[in-house]
């Protein structure tokens, strides 16, 4: 009974591996968890160790209820509610730590370990980065090691070598994992639960006021990566359109809402493409928004990518995971040569009051111009001629912000110039709107992709001119042409404000060659990982199989799947079975089996499962003359096989020699 109870207790080796696994699973979440969660882990581990050492006892029912209530209260105070992705994961991790205080028997350990496998997956709800994948493999190894240690009840010391067997097991599973990844049918989920992260909304928002783009330009995060089919266009031509702001209200620009647009204007009008097309793939990071980024006049054959009436691409659902889409652009195509009355009225609308000095300047410049095109040039000349400054640290603007910007501060970022320019166009009767997105990008020489960071966020304007349609005009280029030609870092070189809040960002050390090359090579590896592994969907799977096997039919597909699985599993099975066949008995067992054969020749047959001591007693009763020999042989065998497992080798050899001697000279019957 005591033996059975001891077998159900968690061995020390398994307990240590479980605690190590818990802290390893906590590590990827540290950046988004409050500090008290870490303290809960330390508290639970410390209490459980004290219990193991016999100094403390397990907490009682009321203590455990108090800890649960405190956990819920702390989550509520930290996040403001119990719903949402972050509070839910924090609650799960807290329960995972407190479960350690209920770890008494092996069944409790099973619950804890299998819960650990589930927690390992929660990290991918926030990111699917390559580093997290590699780290999760370490978590899986630690959990599996704890599971293996749990099946070693006699192990009462922590053994680092325990990790060897799980490592071999996981290595054997890798080929099967690859087969399943590439060949198992990728079926859509039967049901989904919206997973909203309070911290995942990034990128350009759907409204803009002075200061929005400049604050976004402090981030070095990647917005998206682009792979062109052919040559990469010049940097000055890389204007990635994402949002079109047609409405100015309450001092901010915003895009048109669905209800703002009449039904006849919902669909984009077909334009006749002009010039050579640019074909490219965009790998976009999750934004929790709908809009996509593309060059001028883009189309996509993917069903998940749609075109709006103002010639931009968007997704019908929010982008909660990274998205890979292909697009084709014709940048030289004239857009909307004929403007509808509703569109003209919308793109000319201004607030009833505000910025009177700006409006007066606009009318003055328009009166001195011969045409709308000349007026556009006159406004750009004004920006170029007057002492305007391009800066990431523009002063705050109060009432009539464009009057203050144009006539007093004259310091602004791209949104200031786009705002003022569009306002002046509309004031003079020229249809105009603000476009927000990204401009430029960093070309990675390792794999030929264009890396677009958040600090490449940009705003410019589009004006509608008779006979030409919508023309892109970038007033920032009139003030700081190096921003368009060379990028933000060079444009702000004199100010020193580029990524000033991120001193450890590797982008600040692009002048150090080995750091820059390491960063670019890692980015190329990340692109390969995200496009080939994370973005490997059913469409890519079908394309891959079609490229390899030609026309794929269901029978061929099933045959390929099972054949591949057999090719992977057969070597593992052969290895396992072959090792089993080569398993040999230890010398003591061999001698005892020879002892049993010798007795069987005398008519005394050992029953199946009969213990050596019982067999010796029964044989002594049947043939009393053999009793001394039977007792001595059985005693020596038990000494060798059971009594002292950690005896030294010399002692073992001595016992084996005595067994052989007894076996060679059995007494006469």
């Amino acid at each position: 009974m005591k033996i059975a109870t001891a077998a159900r207790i968690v061995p020390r080796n398994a307990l240590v591996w479980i605690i190590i696994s818990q802290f390893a699973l906590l590590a990827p979440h540290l950046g988004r968890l409050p500090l008290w969660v870490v303290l809960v882990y330390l508290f639970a581990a410390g209490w459980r160790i004290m219990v193991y050492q016999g100094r403390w006892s397990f907490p009682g029912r009321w203590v455990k209820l108090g800890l649960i209530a405190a956990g819920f209260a702390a989550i509520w105070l930290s996040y403001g509610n119990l719903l949402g992705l972050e509070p839910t994961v924090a609650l799960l991790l807290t329960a995972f730590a407190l479960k350690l205080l209920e770890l008494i028997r092996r069944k409790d350990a099973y619950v804890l370990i299998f819960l650990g496998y589930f927690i390992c997956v929660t990290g991918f709800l926030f990111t699917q980065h390559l580093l997290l994948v590699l780290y999760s493999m370490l978590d899986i190894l630690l959990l599996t090691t704890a599971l293996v240690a749990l099946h070693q009840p006699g192990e009462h010391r922590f053994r680092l070598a325990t990790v060897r067997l799980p490592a071999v097991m996981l290595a054997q599973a890798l080929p099967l994992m690859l087969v399943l990844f590439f060949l198992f049918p990728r079926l859509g989920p039967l049901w989904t639960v919206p997973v909203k992260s309070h911290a995942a909304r990034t990128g350009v928002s759907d409204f803009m006021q002075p200061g929005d783009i400049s604050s976004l330009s402090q981030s070095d995060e990647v917005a998206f990566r682009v792979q062109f089919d052919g040559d990469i266009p010049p940097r000055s031509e890389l204007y990635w359109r994402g949002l079109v702001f047609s409405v100015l209200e309450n001092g901010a620009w915003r895009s048109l809402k669905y209800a703002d647009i009449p039904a006849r204007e919902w669909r984009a009008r077909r334009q006749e493409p002009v010039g050579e097309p640019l074909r490219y793939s965009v790998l976009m990071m999750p934004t929790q928004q709908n809009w996509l980024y593309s060059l001028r006049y883009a189309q996509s054959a993917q069903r998940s990518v749609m075109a709006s009436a103002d010639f931009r691409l968007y997704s019908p659902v929010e982008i909660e995971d990274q998205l890979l889409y292909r697009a084709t652009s014709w940048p030289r195509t004239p857009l909307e040569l004929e403007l509808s009355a509703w569109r003209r009225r919308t793109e000319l609308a201004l607030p009833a009051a505000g910025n009177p000095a700006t409006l007066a300047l606009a009318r003055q410049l328009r009166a001195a111009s011969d045409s709308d095109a000349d007026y556009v040039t006159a406004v750009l000349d004004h920006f170029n001629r007057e002492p305007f400054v391009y800066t990431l640290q523009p002063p705050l603007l109060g009432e009539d912000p464009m009057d203050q910007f144009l006539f007093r501060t004259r310091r602004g970022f791209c949104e200031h110039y786009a705002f003022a320019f569009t306002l002046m166009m509309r004031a003079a009767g020229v249809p105009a709107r603000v476009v927000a997105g990204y401009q430029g990008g960093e070309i990675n020489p390792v794999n030929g992709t264009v890396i677009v960071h958040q600090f490449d966020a940009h705003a410019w304007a589009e004006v509608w001119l008779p006979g030409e349609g919508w023309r892109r005009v970038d007033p920032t280029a009139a003030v700081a042409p190096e921003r368009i030609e060379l990028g933000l870092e060079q444009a702000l070189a004199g100010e020193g404000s580029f990524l000033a809040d991120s001193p450890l960002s590797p982008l600040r050390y692009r002048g150090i060659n080995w750091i820059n090359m390491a960063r670019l090579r890692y980015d190329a590896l990340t692109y390969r990982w995200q496009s080939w592994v994370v973005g490997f969907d059913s469409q890519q799977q079908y394309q891959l199989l079609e490229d390899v096997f030609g026309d794929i039919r269901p029978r061929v597909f099933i045959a390929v799947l099972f054949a591949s699985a057999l090719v992977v599993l057969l070597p593992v099975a052969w290895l396992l079975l072959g090792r089993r066949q080569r398993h040999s008995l230890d010398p003591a067992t061999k001698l005892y089996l020879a002892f049993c054969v010798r007795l069987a020749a005398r008519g005394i047959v050992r029953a199946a499962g009969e213990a050596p001591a019982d067999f010796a007693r029964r044989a002594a009763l049947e043939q009393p003359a053999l009793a001394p020999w039977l007792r001595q042989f059985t005693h020596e065998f038990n000494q060798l096989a059971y009594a002292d497992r950690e005896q030294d080798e010399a002692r073992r050899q001595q016992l084996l020699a005595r067994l052989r001697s007894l076996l060679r000279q059995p007494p006469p019957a």
Side-chain angles (χ1 to χ4, degrees):
M1 187 68 177
K2 290 182 179 179
I3 294 175
T5 302
R8 292 197 294 267
I9 294 177
V10 179
R12 179 180 181 181
N13 191 32
L15 177 61
V16 175
W17 282 111
I18 288 173
I19 294 176
I20 293 174
S21 302
Q22 280 195 313
F23 282 93
L25 289 166
L26 175 67
H29 298 275
L30 285 178
R32 48 182 167 269
L33 286 175
L35 179 61
W36 62 263
V37 177
V38 181
L39 298 178
V40 169
Y41 272 70
L42 294 173
F43 168 77
W47 192 321
R48 187 60 182 83
I49 291 173
M50 296 299 282
V51 170
Y52 183 84
Q53 294 178 345
R55 301 180 182 181
W56 293 2
S57 60
F58 284 101
R61 178 184 304 175
W62 292 108
V63 174
K64 288 190 285 188
L65 288 176
L67 291 173
I68 293 172
F72 274 97
I75 294 289
W76 178 272
L77 292 174
S78 299
Y79 295 97
N81 58 66
L82 298 177
L83 302 177
L85 185 58
E86 285 84 359
T88 304
V89 172
L91 185 63
L92 182 63
L93 286 166
T94 304
F96 185 53
L98 294 178
K99 183 65 181 173
L100 196 61
L101 300 179
E102 290 187 330
L103 181 60
I104 302 175
R105 294 180 173 83
R106 293 176 62 183
K107 66 176 184 179
D108 303 319
Y110 284 126
V111 173
L112 202 56
I113 292 172
F114 290 129
L115 182 59
Y117 284 115
F118 180 78
I119 287 179
C120 183
V121 179
T122 59
F124 295 102
L125 297 175
F126 300 94
T127 178
Q128 298 178 10
H129 202 278
L130 176 59
L131 288 179
L132 178 62
V133 174
L134 296 176
Y135 186 81
S136 297
M137 295 177 72
L138 173 64
D139 284 339
I140 296 295
L141 177 62
L142 292 174
L143 286 167
T144 309
T145 302
L147 193 61
V148 170
L150 197 60
H151 290 80
Q152 297 173 341
E155 195 60 71
H156 298 299
R157 293 181 302 172
F158 173 67
R159 292 176 59 85
L160 192 60
T162 310
V163 77
R164 190 177 305 159
L165 177 59
V168 173
M169 292 167 59
L170 294 177
Q172 290 173 339
L174 280 177
L176 182 59
M177 182 191 73
L178 294 176
V179 169
L180 294 177
F181 176 80
F182 285 107
L183 297 180
F184 194 81
R186 293 179 173 266
L187 306 175
L190 299 178
W191 56 274
T192 59
V193 176
V195 180
K196 301 290 185 183
S197 171
H198 297 293
R201 188 176 292 266
T202 59
V204 180
S205 65
D206 56 354
F207 70 96
M208 186 199 78
Q209 58 186 0
D212 287 348
I213 303 292
S214 55
S215 61
L216 188 62
S217 294
Q218 304 284 358
S219 170
D220 64 348
E221 293 182 10
V222 174
F224 54 89
R225 297 177 176 87
V226 185
Q227 178 86 61
F228 284 91
D229 287 358
D231 295 336
I232 300 174
R235 178 190 179 84
S236 58
E237 297 297 322
L238 296 178
Y239 279 83
W240 304 100
R241 299 173 88 249
L243 283 158
V244 173
F245 299 136
S246 298
V247 180
L248 175 60
E249 60 182 14
N250 300 323
W253 290 93
R254 70 167 175 84
S255 56
L256 288 166
K257 299 177 182 177
Y258 187 75
D260 296 334
I261 307 174
R264 63 180 181 280
E265 301 279 350
W266 283 348
R267 305 189 65 176
R269 298 180 183 178
R270 174 71 179 175
Q271 310 294 311
E272 189 62 33
V274 175
E276 292 295 323
L278 293 174
R279 297 184 174 86
Y280 50 93
S281 302
V282 179
L283 182 63
M284 190 169 162
M285 299 298 106
T287 61
Q288 308 294 325
Q289 312 284 10
N290 294 79
W291 44 90
L292 308 176
Y293 296 95
S294 64
L295 299 177
R296 178 184 167 95
Y297 193 50
Q299 294 182 359
S300 176
Q302 292 180 220
R303 294 180 179 179
S304 58
V305 178
M306 306 182 74
S308 68
D310 44 18
F311 307 104
R312 59 185 178 83
L313 300 181
Y314 69 97
S315 167
V317 296
E318 292 184 354
I319 304 169
E320 296 179 348
D321 299 311
Q322 71 165 29
L323 175 66
L324 177 65
Y325 59 92
R326 285 193 57 81
T328 303
S329 289
W330 291 265
R332 299 184 182 281
T333 301
L335 298 181
E336 218 166 8
L337 291 175
E338 297 294 332
L339 209 58
S340 70
W342 173 83
R343 177 62 72 176
R344 177 182 292 277
R345 187 169 58 253
T346 301
E347 308 296 3
L348 284 172
L350 286 174
N355 300 298
T358 302
L359 302 186
L361 174 64
R363 296 188 188 101
Q364 177 188 342
L365 292 176
R366 180 64 184 90
S369 303
D370 296 331
S371 64
D372 289 347
D374 289 342
Y375 172 61
V376 170
T377 303
V379 175
L380 292 178
D381 288 343
H382 177 79
F383 282 127
N384 180 261
R385 185 175 58 252
E386 298 296 324
F388 285 98
V389 176
Y390 180 72
T391 176
L392 254 178
Q393 301 167 342
L396 295 177
L397 303 174
E399 190 176 358
D400 298 327
M402 290 302 102
D403 283 0
Q404 294 185 38
F405 167 62
L406 289 177
F407 300 102
R408 198 178 68 183
T409 65
R410 293 180 173 175
R411 298 174 63 85
F413 202 57
C414 59
E415 67 265 35
H416 294 76
Y417 297 100
F419 193 139
F421 180 86
T422 306
L423 181 63
M424 293 179 69
M425 290 295 113
R426 290 193 178 189
V430 180
R433 57 196 183 189
V434 176
V435 180
Y438 297 85
Q439 197 283 321
E442 179 185 21
I443 298 175
N444 189 342
V446 178
N447 60 352
T449 57
V450 178
I451 311 169
V452 180
H453 297 88
Q454 293 294 352
F455 60 70
D456 292 316
H458 194 54
W460 59 97
E462 286 181 350
V463 297
W464 189 87
L465 299 175
E468 185 177 344
W470 290 104
R471 176 199 289 185
R472 183 187 70 226
V473 180
D474 192 349
T476 301
V479 179
E482 61 274 15
R483 163 66 181 89
I484 310 305
E485 299 292 339
L486 303 175
L488 182 67
E489 184 177 6
Q490 283 71 24
L492 299 174
E495 188 176 80
S497 56
F498 179 71
L499 297 179
D501 297 333
S502 306
L504 298 180
S505 171
L507 285 163
R508 295 194 59 180
Y509 306 99
R510 285 190 277 194
I512 304 176
N513 187 51
W514 70 270
I515 293 180
N516 196 43
M517 283 308 299
R519 178 183 63 84
L520 293 173
R521 289 185 185 281
Y522 179 73
D523 191 89
L525 180 63
T526 299
Y527 177 80
R528 181 71 66 181
W529 166 262
Q530 292 177 331
S531 59
W532 269 94
V533 179
V534 181
F536 190 72
D537 55 14
S538 58
Q539 187 175 356
Q540 290 194 25
Q541 184 187 42
Y542 183 82
Q543 185 64 47
L544 174 66
L545 295 176
E546 195 174 49
D547 292 343
V548 176
F549 300 104
D551 186 20
I552 287 292
R553 291 167 296 174
R555 291 182 179 178
V556 175
F557 179 79
I558 294 174
V560 170
L561 176 62
F562 279 98
S564 302
L566 286 176
V567 168
V568 170
L569 291 177
L570 283 178
V572 177
W574 176 83
L575 185 65
L576 293 176
L577 295 176
R579 181 176 297 175
R580 185 175 181 178
Q581 290 173 352
R582 291 195 299 270
H583 178 71
S584 59
L585 300 174
D586 64 274
T589 304
K590 285 182 178 178
L591 291 174
Y592 186 74
L593 291 178
F595 168 75
C596 294
V597 170
R598 188 69 58 86
L599 288 177
R602 296 170 179 256
I604 309 173
V605 180
R606 179 172 174 247
E610 189 173 18
D614 296 337
F615 180 48
R617 279 193 292 271
R618 182 168 62 82
L621 291 175
E622 294 182 14
Q623 295 191 20
L626 298 179
W629 178 74
L630 290 170
R631 283 195 295 270
Q632 185 176 2
F633 189 94
T634 303
H635 174 73
E636 300 289 349
F637 172 72
N638 284 336
Q639 284 289 318
L640 185 61
Y642 304 111
D644 188 5
R645 292 186 127 191
E646 296 184 357
Q647 56 197 320
D648 57 48
E649 185 61 25
R651 171 66 174 162
R652 282 182 56 82
Q653 294 301 326
Q654 185 181 9
L655 290 172
L656 284 172
R658 288 166 61 178
L659 280 179
R660 292 191 188 98
S661 175
L662 288 170
L663 192 62
R664 283 196 299 268
Q665 299 176 353

